Amino acid sequence: MTTAMNDGRYAGTERRRDRVEAAIAAATRDGTNLTASAIARAARVDRTFLYRHRDLLERLHTAAREPTGPAAANGAPVTRASLEADLANAHARNTRLVDRIQQLEKRLSEVLEAQVWRESGLGATTDIEELQQTITRLEQQAVDVSASMEEREAELEAAREANRQLTRALNQRE
């Protein structure tokens, strides 16, 4: 009787393992979420089942790291790491754009203020006004050069990160 119970328990475990493997395969194929909770739910098992069976958990983690979905325009596969890098780059670009908008708003305010003073007849003399325009033009050139330099630094950092990821991927293959 004990043998029959053990055989039944073993068969039940094997059925659950098969369901987990099928859920991992389906999630990989469909590009859905590859987390322990999502796979456990899809396979109709408890999450602790995955943690008790380390080989299944390792298979899940491996599937989550591997490329999923269509390749990007440059032919590189889309991975979680590449998406995170894209998100970080988008955040950095957003920050640069916010700074640039603030600079442009400040410059617009100064130009409008000067125009109001000129039209009211209370403006500065021509010499001072020309000097202020020269200063404004030079400040704008400095801002443009700084923005260009920041953009190039961001591109360089993104290229370095891509090189690091490729190097890690090559090292892991060996």
Side-chain angles (χ1 to χ4, degrees):
M1 171 127 80
T2 305
T3 304
M5 286 175 47
N6 286 340
D7 290 344
R9 202 168 33 226
Y10 179 76
T13 299
E14 286 304 310
R15 283 192 302 273
R16 286 186 297 235
R17 289 178 62 84
D18 291 341
R19 287 196 314 253
V20 168
E21 289 175 358
I24 292 172
T28 302
R29 182 180 58 248
D30 299 338
T32 57
N33 204 2
L34 281 166
T35 61
S37 296
I39 295 301
R41 192 172 26 258
R44 297 181 324 271
V45 297
D46 192 58
R47 262 189 344 201
T48 57
F49 181 81
L50 289 172
Y51 294 108
R52 282 194 311 263
H53 297 269
R54 290 291 183 182
D55 60 322
L56 292 175
L57 188 61
E58 183 59 34
R59 192 170 305 152
L60 170 63
H61 290 161
T62 301
R65 283 190 302 266
E66 290 178 0
T68 60
N74 63 359
V78 177
T79 63
R80 181 177 178 90
S82 69
L83 292 175
E84 288 174 351
D86 288 346
L87 180 62
N89 287 336
H91 282 298
R93 184 167 190 265
N94 188 29
T95 302
R96 287 191 310 272
L97 289 174
V98 165
D99 291 342
R100 179 72 172 148
I101 287 170
Q102 288 175 348
Q103 290 170 351
L104 291 173
E105 286 175 343
K106 181 180 177 190
R107 184 163 179 245
L108 178 63
S109 175
E110 291 169 355
V111 168
L112 289 175
E113 178 185 349
Q115 182 181 358
V116 166
W117 277 104
R118 231 184 356 266
E119 290 176 1
S120 69
L122 300 173
T125 64
T126 308
D127 294 336
I128 294 173
E129 190 172 305
E130 287 176 12
L131 290 174
Q132 287 177 340
Q133 288 176 354
T134 303
I135 290 170
T136 302
R137 184 174 29 81
L138 292 175
E139 285 176 344
Q140 184 59 38
Q141 286 176 354
V143 166
D144 292 342
V145 168
S146 294
S148 175
M149 189 171 76
E150 287 176 3
E151 194 171 280
R152 288 188 180 142
E153 286 176 0
E155 290 172 359
L156 177 62
E157 185 56 36
R160 286 179 177 159
E161 181 60 31
N163 284 339
R164 280 188 221 108
Q165 291 175 359
L166 289 172
T167 302
R168 268 189 239 119
L170 288 173
N171 288 341
Q172 288 176 354
R173 286 186 187 168
E174 294 175 4

